[in-house]
Each structure stands twice: as C-alpha cells, then as structure tokens.
Amino acid sequence: MTGAPSEASEPTATARPSRLDPAIAARLRRTADGLVAAVVRQHGSGEVLMVAWMDDEALHRTLTTGRATYWSRSRREYWVKGATSGHHQYVRSVALDCDGDALLVSVDQVGAACHTGHRTCFFEELPVTGAEAP
C-alpha cells in the first residue's frame, strides 16, 4: 500500500500488544509498519466514506466494541471515530479482502465522515479523459 510510513526509526504498529484472535491475525498482510488499509463505507448504500489504517489491536477493538477504531499515523495513537467530533461510526460488518491486505468496514455513519466536514472524504472528482464508455 502506498502512503504508509516506512521509516525504520519509527516504532511499528506491530510492536504494540494485541488481543486480536490469532486466526484472524494470521490472515492479515500488513505494511512494513504493521498496518492494514480500512476502506469504510455506509452500510446499506455502499457509499465510500473514507480510508483509514488499522493495526491488529485497532481491528480487535473494532470487532469487539462495534465502534470504528483506527491507528493514527500522525499522532501515533488509537482513535475511535467520533470520540472528539461526535461523528460516530457504528460498525455493521467487517470483511477481509482475498489478499488479506485490506479491510472493508461497513458502518452507520453519524454526521460527517471527513475531517473537513464533508459527508465523505471522496468529494473531489477528477476528470477522466482517457477512456470511452462501452
């Protein structure tokens, strides 16, 4: 995955202890920093809301609390979506992709998913000019 931090001097996410089920942990393919991409969508509509990062413990917390919990690469700490903003994500399901390197998290989103205040982080469309519709 691109965008994941890779400096060897930074502590890795895998260095933190986790209570994640070992059978689930064995199926994950993590970045060098111990992270897995989490694509978050609105349950029911499938609207893609955001992409975040989880380590084993964030995934464990998400699965066992029903509240979306992520690893903040910039703050180097766990964050529960909505803890400070009030824009909560209540988890309905979590799926692991076929390669084990990405998660699909279906949530009931309360308020904006994006830190900018937008409903989704994907609000800026880019022009596509190289392909014709069939």
Side-chain angles (χ1 to χ4, degrees):
M1 284 267 128
T2 59
S6 60
E7 294 180 22
S9 62
E10 287 186 351
T12 64
T14 55
R16 285 179 298 282
S18 174
R19 297 166 288 167
L20 183 63
D21 179 334
I24 295 172
R27 297 175 60 196
L28 298 176
R29 256 186 48 201
R30 301 162 193 79
T31 65
D33 294 319
L35 302 172
V36 175
V39 177
V40 184
R41 70 176 177 180
Q42 175 62 48
H43 180 74
S45 73
E47 174 188 28
V48 177
L49 300 172
M50 58 182 271
V51 174
W53 295 95
M54 289 185 177
D55 68 356
D56 290 21
E57 182 60 17
L59 178 55
H60 167 75
R61 293 178 188 189
T62 297
L63 294 171
T64 58
T65 67
R67 298 289 305 280
T69 304
Y70 305 106
W71 174 254
S72 171
R73 296 178 298 164
S74 60
R75 295 186 311 260
R76 294 186 187 166
E77 66 184 15
Y78 295 105
W79 57 283
V80 177
K81 183 68 172 172
T84 56
S85 69
H87 299 167
H88 301 284
Q89 291 179 343
Y90 297 97
V91 178
R92 299 290 299 269
S93 67
V94 178
L96 182 61
D97 83 336
C98 60
D99 295 323
D101 61 0
L103 298 161
L104 181 60
V105 183
S106 293
V107 301
D108 284 325
Q109 176 71 48
V110 175
C114 185
H115 71 280
T116 64
H118 288 86
R119 165 90 182 144
T120 172
C121 292
F122 298 96
F123 57 87
E124 190 169 338
E125 296 255 349
L126 300 177
V128 177
T129 59
E132 293 183 26

